[in-house]
Amino acid sequence: MLFPDSSKFFLYARKSTDVEDKQILSIEAQLAELREYIIRENLSIIEELIEKQSAKIPGRPIFNSMIERIEKGEANGIVSWNPDRLARNSIDGGRIIYLVDTGKLQSL
């Protein structure tokens, strides 16, 4: 997938702390795969963000800060291992959808 030269991305890795035995991929493994993808696709990453908190309930501080920074135009994309790393509740999911709908967030 080709992105405009002005595209800037956050790398976001998250692992829930409430169900460790059900986690598929550790944060370290997510980061390794994402870094390979970033190099392969030649993406411009402005910051790697790591969060260790469930996404079932709104209120993740790192996620919220990342969304606010996207709203301000600091980045226009998020690279994440799986969409469920971003949102598993309707409020956070709605924020992501709204940013895509308004063109502030690129989608693949």
Side-chain angles (χ1 to χ4, degrees):
M1 174 119 340
L2 297 174
F3 294 98
D5 290 338
S6 61
S7 295
K8 296 177 184 171
F9 296 83
F10 286 110
L11 182 156
Y12 182 81
R14 181 187 67 78
K15 183 171 177 174
S16 181
T17 56
D18 59 353
V19 283
E20 290 293 328
D21 60 324
K22 293 183 180 181
Q23 295 297 311
I24 295 172
L25 210 59
S26 69
I27 286 179
E28 295 77 19
Q30 289 178 49
L31 290 173
E33 284 193 21
L34 292 172
R35 288 172 182 150
E36 287 178 18
Y37 177 78
I38 290 163
I39 291 168
R40 185 172 59 248
E41 298 297 322
N42 196 30
L43 301 179
S44 175
I45 299 296
I46 61 171
E47 189 172 353
E48 290 186 4
L49 303 171
I50 298 169
E51 193 147 52
K52 296 179 181 180
Q53 187 172 342
S54 173
K56 290 181 184 176
I57 301 170
R60 291 171 287 148
I62 295 171
F63 174 83
N64 288 339
S65 173
M66 176 180 67
I67 294 299
E68 290 168 7
R69 291 169 71 185
I70 290 169
E71 290 171 340
K72 292 176 185 175
E74 200 172 319
N76 51 2
I78 303 168
V79 178
S80 183
W81 178 69
N82 189 310
D84 74 358
R85 301 297 86 202
L86 299 175
R88 297 193 68 198
N89 66 76
S90 59
I91 292 173
D92 292 343
R95 290 177 79 188
I96 296 284
I97 292 167
Y98 181 75
L99 289 172
V100 171
D101 287 350
T102 58
K104 291 187 178 183
L105 186 63
Q106 296 178 357
S107 65
L108 296 175

